[in-house]
Amino acid sequence: MDPTLKGLREWLLREHAGTVCADRLHVIADELAGLTARGVPGAVVELGCYRGAMALWIRSVLDSLGDRDREIHVYDSFQGMPAPGAEDSDHLAAGELRSSPDDVRATHAAWGRSAPVIHPGWFDETLPMELPDEIAFAYLDGDFYDSTLTGLTHCVTRLMPTGVLLVDDYADTAVNPRAWDGLPGVKRACDAYFGAPSPMTVVVGEGDLAFGRYEKPEFPG
């Protein structure tokens, strides 16, 4: 691993342990390497960026791959979580995980990285008009049913062929019994959007990673 990335990884695991883990960092680095190798065009988007830890990792990995011009867009209410809905657990309450665009900028500045394009507002307000038309990689970290469904609705149609969408907290315990299942609305939203059989696959990590992966077919149909 690039020495700078190694130092950043250690810092993120120490300073942002609540939102990143070794499995997440590893999987996302591999996905970025893959899309760069395939030459997939388009931007990277993150839905639910909090203080910008994962966005910083994404920027740093892309830079290490020589993919310095690829745009990163992040979306967050910056008002904390909305109220959970009927499909959600009570693991997170309204207002939790509040941050600010300045938090995202400061996280990047600490490592001398350029900040992403920041889109403040609720997903249903920002995504329809402010998502890039071409998306190479999307990381959905909306935590709740409605947020996840809104993200899927607007991101999947903009994914480029062989582009990838990762959904955090997607827990299919039938496939991966170790997966953390504290936010069940996420998988329920994916099931509602894709139907059955679902094209989502389960990503298994070393620990309790709960990740769902969708890759846009190269030849639709």
Side-chain angles (χ1 to χ4, degrees), residues 130-142:
E130 297 181 28
L131 272 176
D133 291 333
E134 296 183 348
I135 296 175
F137 178 74
Y139 180 53
L140 273 59
D141 191 10

Side-chain angles (χ1 to χ4, degrees), residues 70-90:
R70 194 182 296 268
E71 287 189 349
I72 300 173
H73 294 253
V74 299
Y75 301 78
D76 201 290
S77 72
F78 296 109
Q79 300 177 54
M81 296 297 299
E87 299 289 341
D88 300 309
S89 69
D90 60 0

Side-chain angles (χ1 to χ4, degrees), residues 61-105:
V61 171
L62 289 174
D63 288 354
S64 76
L65 293 166
D67 200 354
R68 295 178 178 84
D69 294 331
R70 194 182 296 268
E71 287 189 349
I72 300 173
H73 294 253
V74 299
Y75 301 78
D76 201 290
S77 72
F78 296 109
Q79 300 177 54
M81 296 297 299
E87 299 289 341
D88 300 309
S89 69
D90 60 0
H91 178 73
L92 292 170
E96 283 195 62
L97 301 177
R98 183 187 295 265
S99 63
S100 74
D102 283 343
D103 291 333
V104 177
R105 296 185 189 103

